[in-house]
Amino acid sequence: MNLIFFIKSKTINIKNYTIKDIPGSSGRLDVISRCILSTMLRDNDFERNIQIWTFLDRYGTFIFKPEFFNYEFFPKNEILFTDYFVDFLQKIYANEDLKLNPLNTIKNSKMNIIEAIRHFKKMNHKVFILHEQGQAFFELFSNIQEKENIVFIIGSQDDQFLNSKELLALKIPTISIGNQSYLASSVIRLLKLYRMGL
């Protein structure tokens, strides 16, 4: 089973970024970093057959897949990762050299999140929105096959996108892993554990 996570943010803004206050100076880039690390890493290695797409309204769409990176040099904690990611964003915006940045192999896409969803649906991936008010996860997933490819939309840092006309028009099933609100990074870890149990 290949897992793909989508996360969107309209709040990310690194204009006044400082490592001393990552949440307050970046528009909560720490949340995105935590999700990327939760997706990519396992004990002493990268995950396999997994990726995360980040849709940052001010900066573009960035794709993280383990095979793009060198595990030895990959920044494995949130602070270090965020600092390198900010450097990456600043330098691509200024068209500067990224040679010394271990994230210099991040791929970007011209697709926005709606276009990406349509793309993966055409490729016969199963696409789901994750929300605490959705259908019970385990009821829906009892029929999921081990070899199926799945895209999970873990939303945005507000609910406006999840309730947008564009997204609702795609008629994507909404699933829930529980009634309480989980951190996006925790949801990713739980879904990875589910995959391991298949």
Side-chain angles (χ1 to χ4, degrees), residues 13 15 25 33 37 45 47 64 69 83 97 114-115 123 128-131 152 154 160 166-169:
N13 188 340
K15 182 178 179 181
S25 69
S33 296
L37 292 173
D45 202 354
E47 289 286 357
F64 293 82
F69 304 99
D83 208 44
D97 190 4
I114 297 296
E115 292 167 338
M123 294 174 63
F128 300 98
I129 296 169
L130 288 161
H131 193 278
F152 289 113
I154 51 178
Q160 290 181 17
E166 271 191 306
L167 185 62
L168 293 173

Side-chain angles (χ1 to χ4, degrees), residues 49-191:
N49 303 317
I50 200 165
Q51 56 186 283
I52 182 167
W53 290 48
T54 62
F55 301 86
L56 310 181
D57 282 11
R58 287 183 175 89
Y59 302 100
T61 299
F62 301 96
I63 305 165
F64 293 82
K65 295 176 70 174
E67 55 264 40
F68 294 165
F69 304 99
N70 183 317
Y71 182 80
E72 182 181 354
F73 301 109
F74 187 82
K76 301 173 186 69
N77 69 67
E78 185 180 317
I79 293 173
L80 191 59
F81 178 89
T82 303
D83 208 44
Y84 277 123
F85 194 19
V86 168
D87 178 69
F88 174 88
L89 294 173
Q90 289 171 335
K91 286 183 176 175
I92 62 166
Y93 184 77
N95 200 26
E96 295 178 6
D97 190 4
L98 278 162
K99 283 185 179 178
L100 298 179
N101 189 319
L103 300 181
N104 63 7
T105 51
I106 295 172
K107 306 298 182 187
N108 66 335
S109 172
K110 293 183 179 179
M111 287 190 286
N112 64 34
I113 191 166
I114 297 296
E115 292 167 338
I117 292 167
R118 288 178 178 146
H119 168 76
F120 281 105
K121 285 184 77 174
K122 285 180 182 177
M123 294 174 63
N124 295 318
H125 285 55
K126 290 188 177 294
V127 181
F128 300 98
I129 296 169
L130 288 161
H131 193 278
E132 57 262 29
Q133 295 178 359
Q135 182 179 346
F137 173 83
F138 292 105
E139 290 176 14
L140 191 64
F141 268 64
S142 60
N143 295 321
I144 294 292
Q145 302 298 314
E146 184 179 352
K147 292 183 179 180
E148 289 188 280
N149 298 316
I150 302 175
V151 176
F152 289 113
I153 303 166
I154 51 178
S156 60
Q157 288 161 266
D158 60 62
D159 278 337
Q160 290 181 17
F161 170 69
L162 295 182
N163 296 315
S164 68
K165 288 182 180 180
E166 271 191 306
L167 185 62
L168 293 173
L170 297 175
K171 298 181 179 179
I172 299 167
T174 301
I175 60 172
S176 170
I177 58 173
N179 294 325
Q180 67 187 85
S181 182
Y182 290 94
L183 293 173
S185 55
S186 297
V187 170
I188 290 169
R189 291 189 187 98
L190 287 168
L191 291 169

